[in-house]
Amino acid sequence: MNKRQVQNMLLLMASGGPVELTCPMASAKKLARLAFFAQQLGYEYADVRLGGARNTVVMLLVPDPGPVARARAAQTWAQYPNAGDGVSLPPVVPDALELLRARIKFDLTGRHSEKQRLVYAVLAVGVGSLVVGLNTGGESAFLVAGMLWGSCLSLLAVAFTLGRRRNATYAARLKAAGFTPVTDENGRLRYLPPGARTPGNPFTSGPYGRSAQS
């Protein structure tokens, strides 16, 4: 995260409407820092998804009309009147940053249910193995496809187990901080802060401002 990224975000937030930040090669920690500064200035982290381009992540920030958020934003601007320069920013609170990072990581990896992710992965591995086997040609084509399919499934099982444990760690951290598990209209599990509404799909609410971050 650099000065220009923060400046772009604050310029979009000045409109008072929802903001999408498009961040190539963005880590969850980098996104969490951007979301933290947005929260200090009257906005709230809403969601995150993978973008169309490779290694691109899109984070959605929305205005927080609550009195606590309004008071916090007013106090932050009073203490840091030059925050718009992207440098004169309030110090990061480590605990708040870690909670945002946990939410972002969970939202990125929990977009589908575990059963859905497993089905998609098995189908992809099966089709890929069959294509490789057929391209090999000869009588051994199906043998090669079967061996490749078995090896890929073993690796998939390991990755699935590690991902499940990682998400369980994020979920436990969020629950301990008072976040509530909710399921949206698409069956997607998310963790929301106390008092937040059960979400639909915030990315389908309309076109938002976009900022390409590098």
Side-chain angles (χ1 to χ4, degrees):
M1 188 187 74
N2 57 40
K3 177 177 71 174
R4 185 173 63 83
Q5 292 166 346
V6 179
Q7 288 176 327
N8 288 343
M9 180 182 72
L10 295 180
L11 283 173
L12 291 171
M13 287 168 51
S15 69
V19 168
E20 282 186 18
L21 297 178
T22 302
C23 306
M25 303 294 291
S27 67
K29 185 175 182 179
K30 171 182 173 180
L31 293 171
R33 288 179 66 87
L34 288 170
F36 173 82
F37 292 131
Q39 284 185 339
Q40 307 312 302
L41 298 168
Y43 269 67
E44 179 61 70
Y45 164 77
D47 203 356
V48 67
R49 62 176 173 83
L50 296 177
R54 186 179 179 184
N55 295 325
T56 298
V57 179
V58 182
M59 181 169 65
L60 175 62
L61 304 170
V62 295
D64 187 343
V68 174
R70 297 294 96 188
R72 181 172 59 239
Q75 181 178 5
T76 300
W77 280 118
Q79 293 180 337
Y80 303 92
N82 298 319
D85 62 9
V87 177
S88 308
L89 299 165
V92 172
V93 179
D95 289 345
L97 187 69
E98 281 304 305
L99 285 176
L100 282 166
R101 180 174 175 272
R103 289 183 69 189
I104 291 169
K105 293 288 286 186
F106 191 91
D107 285 346
L108 278 174
T109 57
R111 183 159 295 278
H112 300 288
S113 68
E114 290 183 348
K115 184 181 292 185
Q116 286 176 311
R117 292 200 304 271
L118 184 59
V119 169
Y120 294 154
V122 169
L123 288 175
V125 167
V127 171
S129 299
L130 182 59
V131 169
V132 171
L134 292 176
N135 287 336
T136 302
E139 298 180 355
S140 62
F142 288 101
L143 176 61
V144 171
M147 293 176 62
L148 181 61
W149 186 68
S151 299
C152 289
L153 282 185
S154 298
L155 293 174
L156 179 63
V158 173
F160 185 79
T161 300
L162 292 176
R164 190 174 186 179
R165 290 177 180 174
R166 183 176 59 245
N167 278 347
T169 300
Y170 297 142
R173 185 176 301 166
L174 293 169
K175 283 183 180 179
F179 285 73
T180 304
V182 297
T183 302
D184 67 14
E185 59 189 12
N186 298 316
R188 177 185 172 207
L189 178 64
R190 302 192 65 206
Y191 281 83
L192 300 184
R197 296 183 305 170
T198 301
N201 184 351
F203 281 104
T204 62
S205 299
Y208 303 132
R210 296 179 180 271
S211 174
Q213 313 275 342
S214 59

